[in-house]
Amino acid sequence: MDSSTPKKIFIQNFGCQMNDYDAERMVEVMHRQGYATAATAEEADLIVINSCSIRDKAEQKTASAAGRYRELKQFKPGLVVAVGGCVAQQEGERLLRRIPVADFVFGPDLIPALPSLMARVSKKRFAATEVIEVEDYEFLDADPEPSAVKVTALVTIQKGCDNHCAFCVVPTTRGREVSRPADEVIAEVARFVALGAREVTLIGQNVNSYHGIGSEDGDDFAELLERVDAVPGLLRQRFTTSHPKDFTPKVARAFRDFRTVGSWLHLPVQSGSSRTLKRMVRDYTRAEYLEKIDYLRQLVPDISLSTDIIVGYPGESEAEHQETLSLLEQVQYDSIYSFEYSARPDTPALKLRDSVHGPIKKRRLQEVQTLQRKITAARLRRWIGRDAEVLVEGASKRGAGQLCGRTRGNELVHFSAPVGGDEKALIGKLVSVHITGAGTNTLIGQMDSDVVRRLPLIAAHREADGAVH
Ligand code: SAH
Ligand code: SF4
Ligand code: F3S
């Protein structure tokens, strides 16, 4: 390769945090091969579509993205187009037929092998979807360019999923659950902090069933939170996703006991009806779910909560749907993600008839979203007039002199920095922001100069001392 013009990689990413994390690793793997990052697909020599298969609509995005790259390839014959991620794993060879522009497709376990897959690119197109056995699986350490590290970083603690939620394609696409050894997790958190990150989000499909420690009481995830809490210089940690059946009282207490654990929990409920939950094979009832929320709110009354809802699951009656609406009323989530049920290949739910018709699903989704919009607005308004501890992430899109960051409850805040201050110096610091207003999904606030003098002290204190509770 001519070293003056390095080849470039461009990733078109879809899906969840696993794919976000994987996309970063793909870039790093190819950087080590001399590739640079392309700002646009047009300037790339390798385009990876990192696909998601969670719902039919997500899967369709892969084909439409590929369609856009067909023309590009006509003008640039050396361009390599690859499809990675969950659709690649699920479809394998079939995807080569559906996406003629793809030179190869590869599954999520083969990211470390990307350079050798590139070396195989020729006229004969191929699908590489081997799954690494649980015992042999090795996590690829993050190796970020210092300039690519932001205030917040993702750190994977687990891959795959051993649950059998009847609607879900993830166990097929991501395979068996494997926990990353705790020492690797801690080392990666420390590496990100050394490069300037101040918050980490620990990611996995079911973080509560993490078992990378072998702790005495078996609650490895609670123990992991404690170990991450002790990483010097770390200001906050979050985690996602929690499965309600595995969410333990000890993890709930971590929200109260560890300074770094932010006051936000994403606890996907899927439905408010125990009968629907049973058909979904979620392994908890509405009452059990609510008990966990009650316990958590007793410990941390002001905690922010979010969830996922599926409407129109096979066999969902009107009464069951009403139970989802009443659960939303009861819990008062800060935000939700809601979806129409989408039948997925090779999932147990296919055996249930998809009996809820399209227009009914749409109407139910609208009812869920209309109700939640009101609840979200009310929940956001509770912040007005308060001073919130905000971790500053960077410049706000709202204009000059404006910064943005998140509260402990994960609410995004746009705020004006004090006039005449050094705004850049505030990035990565915890500051106090007086909340003056609320938009549809965000907060608006102001930081005064007094606050500037007072609050960076909190951050400095933590940075100097590591774990201060
Ligand atoms: N591991 C996480 C969820 C991962 S998928 C958990 O167990 O909570 C993210 C969300 O997509 C799910 O919570 C669910 O609400 C939604 N989802 C998954 N499969 C779906 C399907 N077939 N149709 C509609 N929504 C689905
Ligand atoms: Fe899918 Fe259930 Fe696993 Fe989440 S816990 S990834 S919904 S099977
Ligand atoms: Fe999608 Fe795969 Fe994530 S199906 S949601 S990218 S694990």
Side-chain angles (χ1 to χ4, degrees):
M1 198 195 305
D2 176 355
S3 60
S4 61
T5 53
K7 291 198 171 193
K8 289 186 179 170
I9 175 172
F10 180 83
I11 303 204
Q12 169 128 38
N13 203 37
F14 298 108
C16 63
Q17 289 97 334
M18 316 302 146
N19 267 16
D20 294 341
Y21 185 87
D22 286 354
E24 288 171 15
R25 302 299 79 77
M26 288 178 202
V27 167
E28 290 162 14
V29 163
M30 293 314 290
H31 276 178
R32 291 197 284 273
Q33 302 293 310
Y35 275 68
T37 308
T40 62
E42 283 69 25
E43 54 181 61
D45 303 279
L46 165 63
I47 296 176
V48 179
I49 304 169
N50 200 24
S51 63
C52 171
S53 171
I54 200 77
R55 284 167 292 276
D56 187 54
K57 268 190 202 152
E59 181 169 347
Q60 298 313 328
K61 287 183 187 162
T62 304
S64 29
R68 289 197 292 277
Y69 299 135
R70 204 169 35 224
E71 204 179 337
L72 217 53
K73 202 161 171 169
Q74 275 162 7
F75 290 107
K76 199 170 182 182
L79 172 66
V80 175
V81 177
V83 184
C86 287
V87 182
Q89 186 66 37
Q90 174 193 301
E91 297 296 308
E93 294 276 343
R94 284 195 299 262
L95 200 58
L96 291 175
R97 286 194 288 280
R98 272 172 47 198
I99 302 194
V101 73
D103 292 283
F104 66 96
V105 308
F106 66 108
D109 278 8
L110 296 179
I111 296 169
L114 200 48
S116 61
L117 299 177
M118 284 298 286
R120 270 171 65 190
V121 171
S122 63
K123 285 208 176 77
K124 189 157 168 28
R125 301 156 69 229
F126 61 92
T129 51
E130 292 89 297
V131 172
I132 312 285
E133 293 297 322
V134 171
E135 309 74 55
D136 299 332
Y137 189 83
E138 283 181 22
F139 286 82
L140 192 56
D141 286 338
D143 174 22
E145 303 267 317
S147 60
V149 175
K150 305 199 185 76
V151 172
T152 63
L154 299 174
V155 173
T156 197
I157 66 163
Q158 179 188 56
K159 85 125 195 164
C161 182
D162 280 351
N163 288 325
H164 307 281
C165 307
F167 49 80
C168 184
V169 79
V170 173
T172 324
T173 60
R174 295 278 167 158
R176 298 291 308 277
E177 187 180 298
V178 189
S179 290
R180 187 178 193 186
D183 291 346
E184 281 180 34
V185 173
I186 300 300
E188 189 155 304
V189 171
R191 260 198 317 277
F192 272 116
V193 171
L195 292 170
R198 291 291 172 265
E199 173 182 297
V200 292
T201 302
L202 308 177
I203 58 169
Q205 290 296 353
N206 181 12
V207 289
N208 300 81
S209 72
Y210 174 79
H211 53 267
I213 293 180
S215 60
E216 264 172 33
D217 63 358
D219 200 337
D220 285 17
F221 185 58
E223 170 126 8
L224 185 70
L225 295 176
E226 187 168 359
R227 292 196 192 178
V228 171
D229 187 67
V231 173
L234 183 73
L235 297 176
R236 270 192 197 153
Q237 57 173 321
R238 305 188 188 283
F239 52 86
T240 192
T241 303
S242 286
H243 193 298
K245 81 174 159 58
D246 297 316
F247 185 82
T248 61
K250 198 169 170 191
V251 172
R253 289 194 292 274
F255 284 97
R256 181 196 59 191
D257 296 341
F258 303 133
R259 173 72 180 74
T260 57
V261 178
S263 292
W264 165 69
L265 173 67
H266 182 62
L267 197 63
V269 67
Q270 313 299 356
S271 166
S273 154
S274 296
R275 274 180 304 168
T276 311
L277 289 169
K278 190 151 197 206
R279 287 198 307 282
M280 289 177 165
V281 197
R282 286 288 285 183
D283 292 337
Y284 54 87
T285 63
R286 174 188 174 114
E288 285 161 354
Y289 181 91
L290 289 173
E291 254 171 51
K292 297 199 179 194
I293 298 279
D294 278 352
Y295 179 65
L296 182 59
R297 280 214 165 119
Q298 275 168 31
L299 300 175
V300 189
D302 196 36
I303 192 157
S304 296
L305 297 170
S306 59
T307 201
D308 293 343
I309 298 287
I310 296 179
V311 299
Y313 188 68
E316 186 188 62
S317 67
E318 200 53 36
E320 289 171 12
H321 166 61
Q322 290 300 326
E323 286 185 81
T324 295
L325 295 175
S326 80
L327 180 110
L328 295 180
E329 285 279 12
Q330 196 171 341
V331 175
Q332 298 281 306
Y333 293 103
D334 294 81
S335 62
I336 66 166
Y337 298 90
S338 50
F339 315 101
E340 288 176 33
Y341 167 72
S342 165
R344 305 310 296 133
D346 302 321
T347 52
L350 291 179
K351 289 202 201 78
L352 310 168
R353 213 160 48 87
D354 186 3
S355 56
V356 180
H357 292 299
I360 297 178
K361 279 188 196 163
K362 281 205 167 47
R363 194 252 302 150
R364 289 184 184 169
L365 186 67
Q366 259 175 18
E367 287 176 0
V368 159
Q369 293 180 343
T370 306
L371 170 60
Q372 185 57 40
R373 262 195 295 277
K374 273 193 259 162
I375 298 173
T376 295
R379 290 287 293 167
L380 279 175
R381 279 198 301 271
R382 85 187 192 281
W383 288 95
I384 298 175
R386 286 207 217 159
D387 292 331
E389 181 197 270
V390 171
L391 178 61
V392 185
E393 292 182 7
S396 157
K397 291 189 190 110
R398 293 169 66 96
Q402 298 271 308
L403 291 167
C404 69
R406 286 180 187 268
T407 65
R408 284 181 68 74
N410 208 24
E411 286 84 8
L412 183 63
V413 188
H414 298 281
F415 61 97
S416 37
V419 183
D422 179 1
E423 286 150 30
K424 278 221 178 87
L426 294 174
I427 295 173
K429 297 282 193 296
L430 287 175
V431 300
S432 175
V433 174
H434 188 68
I435 305 298
T436 53
T440 329
N441 292 304
T442 55
L443 296 171
I444 295 160
Q446 216 167 1
M447 218 181 117
D448 65 42
S449 359
D450 269 5
V451 164
V452 184
R453 263 183 269 121
R454 237 177 331 117
L455 271 138
L457 288 179
I458 300 176
H461 181 51
R462 264 203 67 79
E463 272 160 5
D465 203 27
V468 178
H469 303 286

